[in-house]
């Protein structure tokens, strides 16, 4: 069905029965709200991927702008965005490849252990004999329940074929879904790199028109919060992983590089690093290395104490003028609500709320946003 031609004269009188200007304004608001809700409903499976792309674009924005000044874009502006997007993909994919290779190497030992457990049972761990108390009782229980062949067979039969097939299907579906979302994030990140200046200008213009100068200040405060959170969580977490990885190496922990990478990832979440270096200390303790285990625990607590009480508050609070208590609550609440995405969304929301509160209370303690 073809639409009639649009009226050429915008000053022409309204058609008979037209709504009043006020009613038309309300109708436009309802139309915009309905279309926005419909658009969010259509895009809701991909909203986490879009959010990750925006966070990565904000975090890497200063570095990309510096590279863009060094190598000005050409007519199509494709090379530099492609290189940055490829670099981001490699940063995420290379650790997964290393983990996969390491898992493939360890698979042979796991299969051999399972066969030995099925044939002869599980031997009593030597660490039980080194326990200061309860070692004899633990050794007796293990020998009675797990050290004979029937125990190994019963233990393996708990994992029947239907359970294994169900877990494999669920894991495969999750891997496919995560891969699709990751690919969509990379595509969105490419376009944000290419058209980032235009998108940022449009967002600031829309914020200023909708909410006045306060809207632009809130937007800039949230961007500053993302920068501070990336510096305080990601960079500090990587630093903790490197330092503790060196400690793992000299303490004799198996696979120090892998455990260092896991420590770096866990350190991005508050109170996550002690779980990893605590497990590393338990591995050393099980092997009878008591002094190296104590060194790992002591070094871990020193590194995390300095990072969590001095470095992170200075980086995050210094960027956003946000008390570290609210940063911590934003991180923990964001993780609880949005998962890993909440590491960055939570502090950004807290920063915007604190800015609005300071302006509402007369600007006491408020600081200009860079």
């Amino acid at each position: 069905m073809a639409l009639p031609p649009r009226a050429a004269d915008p000053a022409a009188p309204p058609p008979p029965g037209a709504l009043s200007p006020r009613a038309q304004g309300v109708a436009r608001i309802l139309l915009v709200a309905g279309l926005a809700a419909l658009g969010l409903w259509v895009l809701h499976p991909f909203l986490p991927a879009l959010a990750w792309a925006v966070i990565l674009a904000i975090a890497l924005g200063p570095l990309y702008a510096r590279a863009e000044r060094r190598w000005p874009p050409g007519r199509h502006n494709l090379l530099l965005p492609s290189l940055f997007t490829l670099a981001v993909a490699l940063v995420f994919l290379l650790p997964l490849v290393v983990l996969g290779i390491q898992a493939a190497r360890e698979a042979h030992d796991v299969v051999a252990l399972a066969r030995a457990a099925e044939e002869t049972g599980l031997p009593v761990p030597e660490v039980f004999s080194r326990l200061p108390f309860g070692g004899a009782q633990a050794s007796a229980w293990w020998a009675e329940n797990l050290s004979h062949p029937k125990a190994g067979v019963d233990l393996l039969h708990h994992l029947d074929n239907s359970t294994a097939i169900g877990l494999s299907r669920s894991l495969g579906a999750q891997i496919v879904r995560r891969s699709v979302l990751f690919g969509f994030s990379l595509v969105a990140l490419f376009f944000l790199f290419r058209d980032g200046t235009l998108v940022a200008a449009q967002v600031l213009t829309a914020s200023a028109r909708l909410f006045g100068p306060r809207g632009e200040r809130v937007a800039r405060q949230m961007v500053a919060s993302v920068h501070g959170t990336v510096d305080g969580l990601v960079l500090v977490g990587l630093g903790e992983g490197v330092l503790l990885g060196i400690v793992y190496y000299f303490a004799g922990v198996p696979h120090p590089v892998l455990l260092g990478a896991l420590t770096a990832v866990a350190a991005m979440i508050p109170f996550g690093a002690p779980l990893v270096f605590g497990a590393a200390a338990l591995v050393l303790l099980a092997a009878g290395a008591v002094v190296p285990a104590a060194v790992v625990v002591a070094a871990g607590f020193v590194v995390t104490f300095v990072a969590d009480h001095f470095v992170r508050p200075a980086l995050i609070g210094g960027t956003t003028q946000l008390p570290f208590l609210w940063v911590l609550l934003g991180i923990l609440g964001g993780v609880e609500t949005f998962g890993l995405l909440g590491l960055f969304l939570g502090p950004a929301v807290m920063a915007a709320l604190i800015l609005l509160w300071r302006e509402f209370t007369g600007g006491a303690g408020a600081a200009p946003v860079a």
Side-chain angles (χ1 to χ4, degrees):
M1 181 180 66
L3 296 176
R6 186 175 58 181
D9 186 7
L19 297 175
S20 64
R22 183 176 180 181
Q24 288 180 351
V26 174
R28 282 196 298 270
I29 293 175
L30 293 177
L31 176 63
V32 171
L35 289 177
L38 182 61
L40 290 176
W41 182 73
V42 171
L43 293 176
H44 80 274
F46 300 98
L47 289 179
L50 285 173
W52 276 116
V54 171
I55 289 172
L56 290 172
I58 292 174
L60 298 174
L63 183 61
Y64 183 81
R66 190 179 305 172
E68 201 172 32
R69 289 193 296 268
R70 178 67 177 82
W71 298 285
R75 177 182 301 178
H76 300 290
N77 192 17
L78 297 177
L79 181 59
L80 199 58
S82 300
L83 291 177
F84 266 75
T85 305
L86 179 61
V88 171
L90 291 177
V91 167
F92 283 95
L93 293 178
L94 284 180
L96 295 178
V97 173
V98 173
L99 289 176
I101 294 174
Q102 191 66 41
R105 290 177 178 175
E106 299 292 337
H108 180 270
D109 296 336
V110 174
V111 172
L113 179 62
R115 289 177 178 175
E118 188 175 7
E119 294 176 359
T120 62
L122 299 174
V124 179
E126 296 182 2
V127 67
F128 287 168
S129 62
R130 303 188 185 96
L131 293 177
F133 55 87
Q137 293 82 352
S139 299
W141 180 89
W142 191 285
E144 181 181 353
N145 294 278
L146 299 176
S147 291
H148 52 86
K150 186 177 182 300
V153 174
D154 294 340
L155 187 63
L156 293 175
H157 283 176
H158 283 298
L159 298 175
D160 55 2
N161 291 334
S162 60
T163 303
I165 292 174
L167 290 176
S168 301
R169 288 179 178 175
S170 176
L171 181 61
Q174 286 295 323
I175 290 176
V176 171
R177 182 175 180 273
R178 301 292 180 182
S179 301
V180 171
L181 291 179
F182 180 67
F184 187 79
S185 295
L186 292 178
V187 173
L189 183 62
F190 168 81
F191 286 104
L192 287 175
F193 279 142
R194 194 189 70 173
D195 305 320
T197 304
L198 177 61
V199 172
Q202 291 175 346
V203 169
L204 292 178
T205 301
S207 300
R209 289 181 177 178
L210 289 173
F211 309 108
R214 181 174 297 174
E216 181 176 345
R217 287 197 296 272
V218 169
R220 292 185 181 276
Q221 179 77 345
M222 297 182 73
V223 170
S225 173
V226 172
H227 282 297
T229 306
V230 169
D231 294 339
L233 293 182
V234 178
L235 298 183
V236 174
L238 291 176
E240 291 184 42
V242 170
L243 292 177
L244 291 179
I246 295 173
V247 174
Y248 298 153
Y249 176 78
F250 287 104
V253 180
H255 312 298
V257 177
L258 179 60
L259 278 178
L262 292 177
T263 304
V265 174
M268 297 177 191
I269 303 173
F271 317 114
L275 298 177
V276 182
F277 69 72
L282 290 177
V283 170
L284 291 175
L285 190 62
V290 179
V291 175
V295 170
V296 167
V297 172
F301 277 117
V302 169
V303 170
T304 55
F305 180 83
V306 173
D308 293 339
H309 291 81
F310 297 100
V311 182
R312 276 182 175 151
L315 289 176
I316 300 178
T319 303
T320 61
Q321 301 297 324
L322 188 65
F324 189 68
L325 172 63
W326 294 106
V327 174
L328 183 61
L329 292 177
I331 292 172
L332 296 178
V335 171
E336 177 69 22
T337 306
F338 301 106
L340 288 179
L341 194 60
L343 286 174
F344 308 96
L345 291 182
V349 173
M350 289 295 105
L353 290 175
I354 292 298
L355 175 65
L356 293 176
W357 173 256
R358 286 169 175 167
E359 292 188 352
F360 178 74
T361 56
V369 180

